[in-house]
Amino acid sequence: MHHPFKVGFCFPKFLRRDKGESGTSHGVSVSEILAVRELDVDSGTKDDGRWQKMPQKSTEAYPYAFTVSYVERAWQHRWRCSDVTFHCLEGALCQQWVQTIREQLTALTSRPKHLLVYINPYGGKQQGERIYEQKVAPLFTLASISTHVIVTEHANHARDHLRTEAELKKYDGVVCVGGDGMFSEMVHGLVSRTQRDNGVDQNSPEEKLVPCTLRIGIIPAGSTDCICYATVGINDPVTSALHIIVGDAQAMDVCSVHHNNTFLRYSVSLLGYGFYGDVLADSERKRWMGPARYDFSGFKTFLTHHYYEGTVSFLPATDILGTPRDKTRCRAGCFICQHNGQLYSEDHQPLFLLPEYKGGWRVIRGKFLAINAASMSCACPRSPKGLSPAAHLADGTTDLILVRKCSRFNFLRHLLRHTSKYDQFDMTFVEVHRVRRFRFTPRYCQSDSELDLRENGKKLFSQICRDHPACSCSPAYSSWNCDGEILPHAAIEVGLVRIEGKILDENLLQSAQTGVKVHLPFGQRP
Ligand SMILES: CCCCCCCCCCCCC/C=C/[C@@H](O)[C@H](COP(=O)(O)O)NC(C)=O
Ligand SMILES: Nc1ncnc2c1ncn2[C@@H]1O[C@H](COP(=O)(O)OP(=O)(O)O)[C@@H](O)[C@H]1O
Ligand SMILES: [Ca+2]
């Protein structure tokens, strides 16, 4: 056998494929091979019956065979598992092929071998378990990945298990089957555990965090699934499973949210106050509707048309080349794309290390219908281009979108532009800034007792709002939608989490400037 194994196999003519013409060669990159298995030609197939038996005449001529399962790119970012079977004359040759392919696969160190899987049976259309069993588990088995599966029993089960109990050393990655809320549980569990193990205090907004070594995979089974959509390009369990199997990775930005020097939460996709906070708060009470609750609550919130007064302060990202108004739509490996492939500025300074705080803080007071911080595009099936279409996945910034008070008609025009090709930022009452940090303070101070009530006694919340002095028709506070979870605090400070350790290394995809090393075992491949 000759040796093109590093880049891929080009199956030569002395092997015969059972699809297509005889004698054609078939190229499959090793990095996209999922599994190989030898077939017992006489008895048809050794395992799952996917192999189609050759016509009798050919099997006599080629009595030995093996099947290669590989990734096939289908339409719109969709990946599928395909099989191709090769037949040959000699048993020894056949075995040599199988063994060599297996050796090549074992040498791929980025592929996970042991995964810890958490299934949320309650998210989305409550199909998490079925999706995993029918679509994902067979692929993990095919790829010889061993799994430990936990079906969660309550909210924060997965987070707490990861934070305290899970024997993380045994695994190469964790996988969540659910929506953005489930992904958020993974991030919180893993990041908190890593900081605790390394003695880092999450309550200090200035503290540098230690990166987690485990990667997180998402099998979409939630309602919006925007983290999956914005990183993979589609919400499809099979595609995500295949990205996980081949060991794809994508770094992401993580925002830390604090209130009075107390850590509240991390956010990786949307932090939304006003419209998206109100939609979420209302929709939680309508979970029985499934994903349609967002349409219902969205419509209702749109009609109530509440605005909120307050002050937004932010630190613009001055050391980057891109803006939120760019026409780029990159979804992976963004740090590089943002600098047009360059890693160094004209004066040969590494772009990663340029001083961050050139411009200083800016302050904007006003009445806002929505304040959204999108650390990634937040693309999802509802809005395929997302809240901030040009946001990058791992550039250490978040796009702060301010929608000021305007008429219902104008707000509707703005919302509808999320679903069309028109620019949602090109409106007089909308502004967008790419920022490193920001802060929001509501006009009226929220007392601790109000916060307690909002956290513990949600029914009283509406009463308090109605009684508040701000305005007879608009409540004083909204809540923050933090990756689909409600944060009752109105006043928050947000910063991109900084990582400790070497910044520039060969594997740029895995070392963005400020993104915690939360790797998704997937991402669009070039
Ligand atoms: C009147 C026409 C309105 C069209 C508006 C379209 C804009 C849609 C933009 C959606 C951006 C969603 C950002 C994602 C947030 C998720 O983290 C969160 C939770 O997702 P999950 O339920 O956990 O999958 N979903 C929502 C709706 O807040
Ligand atoms: N077994 C469970 N029972 C109830 N809630 C759960 C369970 N497991 C996870 N959760 C919570 O369910 C919420 C929604 O989960 P998510 O997977 O994001 O689905 P969705 O996209 O439908 O919101 C999250 O807040 C998560 O913490
Ligand atoms: Ca970003």
Side-chain angles (χ1 to χ4, degrees), residues 179-182 222-227 269-270 275-276 279-280 287 293-294 302 378 380 382-383 386-387 412 415-416 418-419 481-485:
D180 295 342
M182 218 29 207
S223 303
T224 315
D225 296 321
C226 101
I227 299 167
S269 58
L270 166 71
F275 185 72
Y276 288 103
V279 169
L280 187 72
R287 244 186 195 280
R293 70 190 184 280
Y294 289 135
F302 167 73
C378 294
C380 59
R382 273 190 175 73
S383 169
L387 280 181
L412 183 64
L415 287 178
L416 288 177
H418 289 87
T419 61
N481 174 340
C482 177
D483 292 353
E485 304 298 306

Side-chain angles (χ1 to χ4, degrees), residues 205-206 313-315 357 361 435-439 494-496:
E206 304 299 328
S313 329
F314 59 89
L315 193 56
Y357 306 133
W361 287 77
V435 310
R436 295 264 182 225
R437 289 163 164 241
F438 73 93
R439 223 180 266 144
V494 180
L496 271 293

Side-chain angles (χ1 to χ4, degrees), residues 68-193:
V68 175
S69 302
Y70 63 98
V71 170
E72 190 169 59
R73 283 164 173 69
W75 71 108
Q76 290 185 335
H77 303 288
R78 218 175 281 265
W79 284 13
R80 284 291 171 261
C81 170
S82 242
D83 285 351
V84 58
T85 297
F86 296 91
H87 296 259
C88 59
L89 290 167
E90 295 165 37
L93 179 67
C94 184
Q95 268 178 7
Q96 208 180 348
W97 270 98
V98 171
Q99 198 185 334
T100 311
I101 295 174
R102 287 213 175 112
E103 278 165 16
Q104 294 290 318
L105 292 182
T106 316
L108 297 171
T109 49
S110 59
R111 292 197 175 191
K113 295 187 178 62
H114 309 284
L115 290 172
L116 176 56
V117 181
Y118 295 95
I119 303 179
N120 177 358
Y122 165 83
K125 294 180 182 156
Q126 285 151 28
Q127 298 293 305
E129 283 173 279
R130 191 188 59 81
I131 290 173
Y132 182 76
E133 289 307 330
Q134 293 183 0
K135 301 192 169 175
V136 180
L139 289 171
F140 285 170
T141 308
L142 176 76
S144 308
I145 294 175
S146 77
T147 52
H148 179 67
V149 179
I150 297 176
V151 179
T152 62
E153 285 161 19
H154 51 85
N156 294 327
H157 180 172
R159 184 198 67 184
D160 297 342
H161 186 261
L162 270 175
R163 191 159 56 184
T164 52
E165 283 171 55
E167 282 186 73
L168 298 183
K169 284 201 187 78
K170 287 182 15 193
Y171 303 103
D172 307 309
V174 294
V175 171
C176 60
V177 184
D180 295 342
M182 218 29 207
F183 182 80
S184 175
E185 284 202 28
M186 301 287 118
V187 170
H188 284 86
L190 277 185
V191 176
S192 300
R193 166 101 169 234

